[in-house]
């Protein structure tokens, strides 16, 4: 089964940069998908799962139009509890981070601007720790 990593942010330059860093680190081991809203992210996840692609990791911003990142990660966790998740944001309030920890099994919070090696090492540890 193919495995995918989904990056969610309402700024295209951010998700493009993140996907490029993931591809540089992990090569073609994963499918890399991008969404610019929580609603779009859920649609993409459902489409991937219907196509027998396992979404193993969601990396989401918090402050987005419509659905906030903690709400997205909670919904992803409700539908697909095996999916790992990371909040990557510069503007989350601590109650949103705690909400994601309590209700979405948030694996990590990383502040923007992120340090590439720190983020990629954290993702590597999460994926290896889960046998992915």
């Amino acid at each position: 089964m193919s495995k995918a990593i989904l990056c969610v942010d309402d700024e295209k330059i951010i998700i493009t940069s993140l996907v490029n860093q993931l591809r540089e680190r992990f090569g073609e081991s994963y499918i890399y998908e991008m969404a610019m809203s929580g609603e779009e992210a859920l649609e993409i996840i459902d489409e991937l799962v219907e196509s027998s692609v396992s979404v193993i990791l969601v990396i989401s911003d918090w402050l987005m139009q419509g659905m906030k990142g903690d709400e997205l990660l909670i919904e992803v966790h409700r539908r697909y509890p095996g999916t790992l998740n990371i909040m990557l944001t510069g503007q989350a309030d601590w109650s949103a981070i705690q909400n994601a920890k309590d209700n979405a099994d948030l694996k990590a919070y990383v502040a923007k601007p992120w340090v590439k090696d720190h983020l990629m090492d954290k993702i590597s540890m999460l994926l290896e720790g889960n046998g992915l």
Side-chain angles (χ1 to χ4, degrees):
M1 176 180 279
S2 297
K3 297 174 185 173
I5 296 174
L6 175 63
C7 302
V8 188
D9 198 299
D10 57 356
E11 294 184 52
K12 185 137 181 98
I13 193 166
I14 298 289
I15 52 177
T16 300
S17 174
L18 182 55
V19 166
N20 288 340
Q21 291 177 11
L22 288 163
R23 189 170 275 120
E24 181 182 314
R25 177 70 172 257
F26 301 106
E28 299 306 315
S29 299
Y30 305 104
I31 297 167
Y32 305 99
E33 292 285 343
M34 296 184 270
M36 295 191 65
S37 70
E39 295 82 2
E40 182 184 8
L42 292 172
E43 289 175 19
I44 289 170
I45 292 169
D46 288 342
E47 289 171 8
L48 288 168
V49 169
E50 286 175 21
S51 300
S52 298
V53 175
S54 175
V55 179
I56 60 168
L57 174 64
V58 175
I59 305 169
S60 180
D61 186 20
W62 176 69
L63 187 59
M64 299 181 288
Q65 292 292 322
M67 184 182 292
K68 299 286 187 260
D70 59 328
E71 297 166 339
L72 167 63
L73 296 176
I74 289 167
E75 184 60 22
V76 169
H77 182 67
R78 186 186 70 75
R79 293 184 191 185
Y80 307 103
T83 300
L84 302 170
N85 54 64
I86 295 174
M87 193 177 297
L88 177 67
T89 187
Q91 301 187 352
D93 72 22
W94 290 107
S95 63
I97 294 167
Q98 192 61 50
N99 187 31
K101 285 182 179 179
D102 293 345
N103 298 299
D105 193 25
L106 184 69
K107 296 298 183 189
Y109 160 75
V110 178
K112 288 180 186 174
W114 66 90
V115 176
K116 176 182 159 185
D117 289 339
H118 171 74
L119 177 60
M120 294 301 121
D121 289 348
K122 188 173 290 281
I123 291 169
S124 288
M125 286 176 24
L126 282 174
L127 295 176
E128 291 167 8
N130 282 282
L132 303 171

